[in-house]
Amino acid sequence: MTVSSMSRQDAMRALLAGIADDLQAYAQLQELLHEQFRASLRHKASELQAAADAIGTLVDAMQQRRSDRVALVQRLVGETGNMAQAFALLKNTAREKMEADWASLETAVLECKRLSKRNGDLLAEQYTIMQRVLHGEEQIYAPA
């Protein structure tokens, strides 16, 4: 079923389910980023590859849910709609829960970005060190 052919009720259900799925996915992503970091520290190439593959698969699914979420919000509140407007369609208890879940999701996104940057910085530093070990310094003395 396409988003445009969904009833408003089905679109809202799909929107809420997608947020719940992303909350679980971001928890998994955080764990995978920790695994990637540990593998980087131990220089375990096979574990790094496995983590990268799992992260890629998970992020692809999350990206698809994000695209679906945009379409669902547009279905519910129009082309320029946003999550706050979509949540406003819910009754008080459901709206409060979804607003809290959305805030948790935003926090998880920020944490995953932080972990990803940490991992990228570590990998870049390890690469730089390895290049120095393998190829030596380009200049031992820097010009004054």
Side-chain angles (χ1 to χ4, degrees):
M1 178 184 296
T2 65
V3 171
S4 60
S5 66
M6 285 183 170
S7 70
R8 290 175 55 83
Q9 190 173 24
D10 287 341
M12 182 60 79
R13 277 193 204 106
L15 178 65
L16 301 179
I19 292 169
D21 290 345
D22 271 353
L23 280 169
Q24 291 177 348
Y26 271 99
Q28 291 174 324
L29 182 57
Q30 285 181 18
E31 184 52 40
L32 288 169
L33 289 167
H34 287 301
E35 288 176 22
Q36 183 184 50
F37 187 75
R38 289 187 296 268
S40 296
L41 288 175
R42 294 189 316 264
H43 304 282
K44 298 286 188 176
S46 63
E47 291 176 22
L48 267 172
Q49 185 61 53
D53 292 345
I55 288 169
T57 300
L58 186 59
V59 168
D60 288 346
M62 292 163 62
Q63 179 60 30
Q64 182 58 53
R65 277 194 298 275
R66 191 199 68 76
S67 295
D68 293 346
R69 188 166 35 252
V70 169
L72 290 164
V73 168
Q74 289 174 345
R75 167 69 180 94
L76 290 166
V77 293
E79 289 292 318
T80 60
N82 60 42
M83 293 301 289
Q85 291 170 324
F87 292 154
L89 300 173
L90 296 168
K91 293 181 180 168
N92 286 343
T93 305
R95 183 178 64 246
E96 289 169 4
K97 180 189 180 328
M98 290 319 304
E99 287 171 343
D101 286 351
W102 186 249
S104 295
L105 186 58
E106 288 175 329
T107 300
V109 168
L110 292 174
E111 177 62 7
C112 284
K113 284 182 178 183
R114 184 190 71 76
L115 294 172
S116 183
K117 182 178 180 338
R118 174 200 65 180
N119 292 4
D121 290 348
L122 174 62
L123 289 166
E125 184 62 27
Q126 287 175 334
Y127 176 81
T128 300
I129 291 168
M130 190 57 68
Q131 290 301 308
R132 285 186 198 144
V133 169
L134 293 174
H135 304 291
E137 296 285 334
E138 287 185 26
Q139 289 186 334
I140 295 179
Y141 299 102

